[in-house]
Amino acid sequence: MEVGKSFKRVDAFDKVTGRAKYADDLCPKNAYVSRILHSTIAHGRVIRIDTAEAAQIDGVVKVLTCFDVPDRPFPTAGHPWNTDPGHQDVADRKLLNEHVRYYGDDIAVVIAEDTVAADRAIRALTVEYEAYPFVLDPIESAKEGAPLIHGERQNNNILAHSSLRIGNYAEAIKEPGLIKVEGWYHTPTVQHSHIENHICFAYQEQGQRVTVCSSTQIPHIVRRVTAQALGWPWGKVRIIKPYIGGGFGNKQDALYEPLCAWLTTQVGGHPVKLDVSREETFVNNRVRHAMHAHITSWMRPDGTFAARKLEVWSDQGAYASHGHSVAAKGMGAFPQLYPCDNVETDAWTVYTNKPTGGAMRGYGIPQAMFQNESHIEDIVTALNLDPIAFRRKNSMPVGYFDSFSKNELYEDSFNQCLDKAIEKIDYDRKRARYRHQTGPVRRGIGAALFWYNTAVWPISIETSSCRMIMNQDGSIQLITGETEIGQGCDTVFAQMAADTIGLRLEDVHVFTMQDTDVTPYGSGAYASRQTYIGGFSIRQTGQLLKEKILKHAHTLTRMPADLLDIIDGTIVRKSDNRALMTVGELATRTLYDMERSEHLAAESTYAVKSNAYSFGVTIAEVEVDIPLCQAKVLNMVNVHDCGTLINPQLAEAQVHGGMSMALGFGLYEELLADPKTGRILNDNLLDYKLPTTMDHPDLLVDFVENAEPTSPFGTKALGEPPTCSPAPAIRNAILQATGVAINTLPLNPHRLFEEFTKAGIFRTEQEVISPPSPGRSAEISRVTINA
Amino acid sequence: MIEKQYKQITFTLNGKQVSTSVDVRESLADMLRREFGLTSVKKGCEVGECGACTVLINGDVFASCIFLAIWADGKDVMTVEGLVDTDGHIADIQQAFIDEAAVQCGFCTPGFIMSAERLLRTGKRYTRDELRKELSGNMCRCTGYHNIINAVEKAMNARLEAAGKQPV
Ligand code: FES
Ligand code: FES
């Protein structure tokens, strides 16, 4: 068995030697470079762009503007296509936009022989605008009279609204004796900040088809979007995806592939490279939606819910991209994490004149968990209950079934995860010790839960294809449409394939590069789907190949196929465990058979019609220096039930990365827009605080391995889950340490100063002696009691 | 129009003396990639913030994206490619990155390895906290740094032990 073992990554050697090829490493040396001109107003219309001077600059090949591009809006979201027009993504942007909708919108491009010429030409372009009023706040933008951002399409700025009703909220809140706990919770705009910026290059060949080599998570989807943007048949576009330097959802969008494909068509098919700068990554790619949520819970004195209400506004930015699906997913978590008989939820996704919100690791759930799990802590604080006991009692119970996704909580996952986390971080002792602290430096420990959906069925199709080609030595090439983006899927896919067929891991060669001309369809790296979804087609295809091998084994050994098995690359007679021949010998004889030569291969698609809940918990131990307004995470543990671990070492590494990203989300990161202009103020890695080695404690990780019954390998989501619960756990730890509940991320010194001041925690300049008193912070949850 | 200016430079690259003519405006990172095909030299920001382009120059770490190629004249430049011997054996620090699962997308990896290599060459013993401080100029968005610190610590201990210094 290869599944369950901590094999080293199949791509590790190439990556530590610098040999692994990323998009820039494959770009032809003669490629032209391109640079984009970005708008310097947040909202308005380009009246004129003077290109005369730029076009004269030596080395400039062509200058193209928003007046040259096809008048064809296209959608960019990395969702599988839906043949039902009602479920298709919103097509609201062009390759370059005359109607500019955020500070930095793409309005012109220079193609040049080198970057110096291109940069110079960009500076030589002069633009005349007609400026419109702009709006940066989604709640303001949702109101009547706000400047219309997509007036061409709709007469308000609400991209979408959805709601959910369970029971009767209005009636339920009349129950006498209820305690009302309510609060606002805010999460900021953050950016994925993968270390490799998005990059692509495009060229034409073969009768004017276009090939784009791109740093993308979703080659097959990008092919469709690129063709739609060009107005071409989809087969005329070919996308190649080499190794990529991280994606985290940003590259789950068609970023600049459509533009780059169009650029090559404007210069006779000559290769054109579009290399995005770090500044452009922050402003002109995608960001995580900022969300503003208001939650009201009506509690009985015994700590049970009578009724609950959630309203959330999600900041879409200038273009639809993934749009409302993100807020809708976050909203959907609310009634499931803590079920209640009477629930009302509403979510609005609203356009603003800011960078575009897209998919980012967790897809609405990190925001939702901050809202949910901060609010739960406010409830237990108000009611003076134990936070762990409350969660054990009220969170999704064993046997919970969601009729839409058909997901089920099969095991006591939350309690099992909590038990492990509590033990690992020594929660009980620390929680007791950190009660009633005084003094300027205090510690606290806090917890937060999450649940996560593994894949996207039944909202979208879930399908995956796989091809296996056997070599004469009995090894195989494994080809899938699912993409390696750093998470390690090539390695776990190889393990799955080896086990299904009966080969050793070294017999499986993973064809890592997706090329839409040769790779069978797979939707790519998003949700936390690939290990789960890919597993179905790998298992099915492996079984098909195994059947073929055993049929030939029957011919070659005269033994009945059902008495034969393949173990570690050898055909074995099961009745006496005798090794009859190697698979390599069989493959060679089969291919070179004078009568019935056969190239052994198998291919299949599996349409998956299930999904799976993934669960976990974070407990964070934090030290707060009150005079410095600084919170430091001393220890943090994540425990996950992600089913059976295919590769424990890689799974743990995946959790580290997710925790790290959440540490940034919780404590440091926020993309800031200038309220006067809409310009992004911190579009670089000095001013945007990405966590470094210094900001991390050692990260504690553990697992509860409840095999997922719907998966052939017992697996379910792990890619995004680790990033869902750390931020609220840190927030809840700060609450225990200081008595101040802070409901706006990130919890950086600026915010802590503001909140500590409001809470009156500073008594004199030098001295901080006020004891913690829960619920005292000005803006936090208001608690009122029903008459 | 500004004339392009070129300059002939000679320097040691991964142990071998090389000579080339470079545009005086070009960065060392760009020259190493373009002229010598050294794909280990990655660029994540081009302004000295992320560390992906880290190389050793005369044994010290530099962000090659903000180091002019012409400044390499007469110097000793080393990239990750230079850690692999002619038989293809990788260095202990590279193996440690593999063994400790310190590699994910791999884009920060060569830069991190070069920063780590400089530490290992000092022959000093660093605590985990000191390692964190020394490596804080390299950014990684995938690993949470945990396994990277493990890998560097492991290679450091092995080298110290091989040099006859007692492990702690
Ligand atoms: S590319 Fe040189 S430091 Fe980022
Ligand atoms: S492994 Fe991806 S940035 Fe470090």
Side-chain angles (χ1 to χ4, degrees):
Chain A
M1 286 294 281
E2 312 292 61
V3 163
K5 290 189 200 151
S6 290
F7 284 103
K8 303 306 162 206
R9 296 177 66 106
V10 296
D11 53 4
F13 186 90
D14 285 355
K15 287 177 174 176
V16 300
T17 52
R19 288 176 195 173
K21 295 284 185 281
Y22 299 77
D24 196 37
D25 304 328
L26 297 167
C27 186
K29 280 198 169 167
N30 68 338
Y32 295 147
V33 298
S34 57
R35 285 280 201 261
I36 299 168
L37 178 69
H38 301 287
S39 73
T40 52
I41 59 169
H43 193 202
R45 190 163 291 279
V46 178
I47 304 296
R48 210 172 62 87
I49 300 179
D50 187 348
T51 61
E53 193 192 329
Q56 292 308 309
I57 289 171
D58 195 37
V60 170
V61 178
K62 204 153 196 173
V63 183
L64 295 155
T65 74
C66 51
F67 303 107
D68 300 318
V69 298
D71 184 15
R72 189 183 300 107
F74 60 96
T76 67
H79 293 145
W81 188 235
N82 199 312
T83 52
D84 168 9
H87 285 101
Q88 289 167 2
D89 290 307
V90 175
D92 65 354
R93 73 158 76 202
K94 295 186 208 165
L95 293 169
L96 299 167
N97 296 294
E98 186 186 328
H99 180 176
V100 304
R101 298 177 177 91
Y102 71 104
Y103 195 113
D105 211 338
D106 307 332
I107 57 176
V109 182
V110 170
I111 303 175
E113 286 166 9
D114 59 59
T115 53
V116 176
D119 287 339
R120 232 175 247 162
I122 286 286
R123 284 196 294 273
L125 291 169
T126 51
V127 187
E128 205 179 300
Y129 299 100
E130 181 190 347
Y132 302 156
F134 60 87
V135 55
L136 303 177
D137 178 72
I139 298 178
E140 287 306 311
S141 184
K143 291 181 183 161
E144 215 172 305
L148 282 187
I149 298 172
H150 286 274
E152 302 87 344
R153 298 188 64 255
Q154 51 184 78
N155 57 12
N156 61 37
N157 290 330
I158 299 170
L159 174 60
H161 164 239
S162 60
S163 55
L164 220 128
R165 299 288 180 263
I166 300 168
N168 189 336
Y169 177 84
E171 274 305 308
I173 65 171
K174 293 178 186 159
E175 185 180 323
L178 293 183
I179 303 156
K180 180 186 181 189
V181 181
E182 63 179 323
W184 276 96
Y185 304 90
H186 308 277
T187 56
T189 301
V190 297
Q191 217 277 334
H192 316 67
S193 304
H194 32 69
I195 301 301
E196 182 204 35
N197 296 307
H198 171 60
I199 176 173
C200 56
F201 62 87
Y203 53 88
Q204 284 190 279
E205 58 186 7
Q206 293 184 351
Q208 303 303 296
R209 291 178 81 206
V210 67
T211 300
V212 188
C213 176
S214 175
S215 178
T216 180
Q217 301 171 218
I218 48 164
H220 278 280
I221 292 174
V222 165
R223 173 167 80 151
R224 183 259 301 167
V225 175
T226 302
Q228 287 174 329
L230 297 176
W232 285 13
W234 299 0
K236 275 185 75 177
V237 176
R238 173 186 179 197
I239 306 288
I240 294 171
K241 180 247 156 224
Y243 283 118
I244 82 170
F248 311 114
N250 186 34
K251 297 170 183 172
Q252 188 207 340
D253 223 292
L255 293 170
Y256 282 121
E257 297 91 342
L259 178 61
C260 194
W262 181 71
L263 293 181
T264 186
T265 68
Q266 300 304 299
V267 290
H270 189 96
V272 177
K273 175 158 90 168
L274 202 163
D275 191 355
V276 173
S277 70
R278 177 58 61 185
E279 291 74 11
E280 289 174 306
T281 296
F282 276 109
V283 179
N284 311 108
N285 280 191
R286 304 292 178 265
V287 295
R288 176 179 283 163
H289 293 79
M291 289 190 194
H292 308 283
H294 186 256
I295 304 180
T296 310
S297 292
W298 295 85
M299 307 300 301
R300 300 189 184 92
D302 67 352
T304 56
F305 294 108
R308 307 190 74 205
K309 187 185 180 87
L310 163 76
E311 291 159 295
V312 52
W313 286 264
S314 175
D315 187 345
Q316 181 51 53
Y319 294 100
S321 176
H322 284 251
H324 191 57
S325 19
V326 177
K329 179 161 184 177
M331 182 183 81
F334 181 77
Q336 297 190 46
L337 187 58
Y338 295 94
C340 168
D341 293 337
N342 303 289
V343 177
E344 273 190 25
T345 68
D346 284 274
W348 293 267
T349 295
V350 191
Y351 284 120
T352 60
N353 295 109
K354 291 218 299 252
T356 299
M360 182 171 169
R361 197 174 194 173
Y363 214 78
I365 301 297
Q367 297 98 311
M369 289 308 116
F370 182 74
Q371 302 153 10
N372 281 257
E373 285 296 84
S374 299
H375 182 72
I376 291 299
E377 206 73 9
D378 291 346
I379 293 174
V380 298
T381 307
L383 273 59
N384 199 19
L385 300 171
D386 178 74
I388 301 292
F390 183 89
R391 287 179 168 87
R392 290 190 192 276
K393 183 172 153 205
N394 292 292
S395 61
M396 182 191 285
V398 180
Y400 183 90
F401 175 76
D402 176 47
S403 57
F404 178 66
S405 65
K406 310 279 184 284
N407 282 354
E408 194 175 327
L409 171 47
Y410 300 98
E411 310 277 346
D412 198 7
S413 300
F414 277 128
N415 281 318
Q416 293 165 351
C417 290
L418 276 168
D419 290 342
K420 278 203 169 178
I422 283 168
E423 200 198 315
K424 201 145 183 140
I425 202 166
D426 197 10
Y427 173 86
D428 290 331
R429 199 180 57 82
K430 287 176 177 168
R431 181 85 188 175
R433 213 174 96 203
Y434 299 155
R435 227 161 259 156
H436 313 303
Q437 291 168 89
T438 54
V441 180
R442 301 180 200 165
R443 291 182 177 188
I445 190 162
L449 308 177
F450 78 88
W451 72 264
Y452 201 79
N453 256 343
T454 299
V456 299
W457 191 85
I459 297 167
S460 301
I461 56 155
E462 266 307 356
T463 181
S464 187
S465 309
C466 172
R467 181 183 304 142
M468 294 176 180
I469 301 170
M470 183 156 267
N471 302 308
Q472 293 93 318
D473 63 354
S475 65
I476 62 162
Q477 271 75 255
L478 172 64
I479 309 174
T480 79
E482 310 306 343
T483 57
E484 172 65 66
I485 65 166
Q487 77 287 57
C489 71
D490 280 359
T491 307
V492 303
F493 287 167
Q495 291 176 255
M496 291 173 166
D499 267 9
T500 306
I501 305 165
L503 302 177
R504 297 158 304 179
L505 187 73
E506 62 258 38
D507 297 327
V508 181
H509 311 302
V510 184
F511 188 80
T512 186
M513 186 185 280
Q514 277 71 27
D515 173 341
T516 55
D517 269 12
V518 288
T519 311
Y521 183 89
S523 293
Y526 61 81
S528 294
R529 61 184 289 281
Q530 289 195 143
T531 308
Y532 179 74
I533 298 292
F536 290 91
S537 68
I538 290 168
R539 165 77 84 166
Q540 177 175 274
T541 308
Q543 282 169 343
L544 289 172
L545 184 63
K546 184 172 182 174
E547 247 172 67
K548 282 191 188 180
I549 296 169
L550 290 182
K551 207 177 90 212
H552 287 285
H554 160 69
T555 311
L556 295 172
T557 65
R558 300 167 290 101
M559 297 298 129
D562 66 348
L563 272 194
L564 300 175
D565 198 2
I566 308 173
I567 296 168
D568 293 338
T570 302
I571 311 289
V572 172
R573 185 166 61 199
K574 286 190 279 191
S575 40
D576 59 354
N577 280 333
R578 179 180 290 188
L580 302 182
M581 67 195 306
T582 65
V583 176
E585 187 186 345
L586 177 142
T588 306
R589 285 174 62 182
T590 304
L591 182 66
Y592 298 112
D593 189 299
M594 294 295 276
E595 300 295 326
R596 302 175 310 264
S597 167
E598 187 180 336
H599 145 85
L600 288 167
E603 174 166 347
S604 75
T605 299
Y606 196 103
V608 180
K609 300 209 182 63
S610 59
N611 206 331
Y613 279 138
S614 188
F615 303 97
V617 55
T618 302
I619 300 183
E621 182 189 4
V622 173
E623 185 172 274
V624 188
D625 185 322
I626 296 174
L628 279 181
C629 297
Q630 203 149 43
K632 185 178 176 200
V633 175
L634 300 176
N635 280 296
M636 186 153 74
V637 60
N638 260 38
V639 180
H640 291 265
D641 177 4
C642 59
T644 305
L645 298 177
I646 311 297
N647 184 316
Q649 192 190 28
L650 294 190
E652 192 177 332
Q654 180 83 325
V655 177
H656 292 152
M659 291 170 80
S660 163
M661 205 168 249
L663 192 74
F665 182 56
L667 289 180
Y668 307 116
E669 296 176 38
E670 178 171 24
L671 202 59
L672 296 163
D674 179 356
K676 292 195 221 65
T677 59
R679 188 172 69 91
I680 293 301
L681 296 167
N682 54 343
D683 59 354
N684 60 77
L685 294 170
L686 282 184
D687 298 320
Y688 181 92
K689 170 66 183 141
L690 209 64
T692 71
T693 43
M694 295 284 281
D695 305 307
H696 287 70
D698 280 339
L699 300 168
L700 305 171
V701 178
D702 210 340
F703 297 96
V704 169
E705 290 191 69
N706 290 319
E708 166 59 35
T710 61
S711 157
F713 295 96
T715 180
K716 55 189 182 179
L718 188 63
E720 298 161 291
T723 209
C724 294
S725 49
I730 293 168
R731 179 263 188 200
N732 294 342
I734 295 176
L735 171 59
Q736 196 209 5
T738 63
V740 184
I742 308 177
N743 291 350
T744 305
L745 291 181
L747 305 167
N748 58 15
H750 313 62
R751 176 116 328 107
L752 265 50
F753 175 73
E754 210 176 288
E755 297 286 339
F756 287 171
T757 305
K758 265 193 262 174
I761 200 170
F762 306 114
R763 190 184 265 184
T764 68
E765 268 176 24
Q766 278 89 28
E767 198 187 8
V768 182
I769 48 168
S770 52
S773 126
R776 198 183 34 185
S777 163
E779 287 272 28
I780 62 140
S781 321
R782 285 194 293 125
V783 180
T784 47
I785 300 187
N786 262 13
Chain B
M1 206 198 103
I2 302 166
E3 276 294 316
K4 286 186 185 171
Q5 288 179 40
Y6 289 89
K7 194 181 166 211
Q8 188 72 22
I9 58 167
T10 302
F11 63 107
T12 307
L13 179 56
N14 293 331
K16 273 216 304 244
Q17 208 182 62
V18 294
S19 201
T20 185
S21 151
V22 289
D23 186 325
V24 297
R25 302 164 304 189
E26 194 169 34
S27 72
L28 178 62
D30 280 340
M31 181 194 70
L32 293 174
R33 291 183 57 83
R34 177 187 55 76
E35 186 65 29
F36 298 97
L38 296 174
T39 52
S40 78
V41 184
K42 312 289 192 214
K43 296 186 292 177
C45 70
E46 298 196 68
V47 286
E49 292 162 359
C50 73
C53 63
T54 304
V55 300
L56 296 188
I57 300 174
N58 290 353
D60 214 345
V61 290
F62 282 88
S64 61
C65 68
I66 49 169
F67 190 96
L68 280 179
I70 48 171
W71 295 343
D73 195 24
K75 304 232 162 57
D76 184 339
V77 177
M78 187 163 195
T79 69
V80 149
E81 284 86 350
L83 295 178
V84 184
D85 74 16
T86 41
D87 294 333
H89 298 124
I90 57 175
D92 52 356
I93 182 66
Q94 291 170 301
Q95 190 61 48
F97 266 65
I98 298 176
D99 292 343
E100 293 301 312
V103 180
Q104 290 193 32
C105 82
F107 209 74
C108 71
T109 308
F112 249 114
I113 287 177
M114 294 319 286
S115 291
E117 175 66 16
R118 185 197 60 94
L119 294 184
L120 301 189
R121 287 183 182 186
T122 63
K124 281 195 216 145
R125 183 183 304 284
Y126 297 89
T127 63
R128 270 178 98 78
D129 277 348
E130 285 166 347
L131 287 178
R132 287 186 187 283
K133 182 150 181 271
E134 293 292 334
L135 294 170
S136 61
N138 290 75
M139 288 179 172
C140 173
R141 191 57 150 170
C142 300
T143 64
Y145 306 104
H146 187 98
N147 289 352
I148 292 178
I149 302 291
N150 285 351
V152 179
E153 198 176 33
K154 180 178 178 178
M156 175 184 75
N157 285 336
R159 266 198 216 183
L160 289 174
E161 211 170 313
K165 301 190 186 162
Q166 285 307 306
V168 261

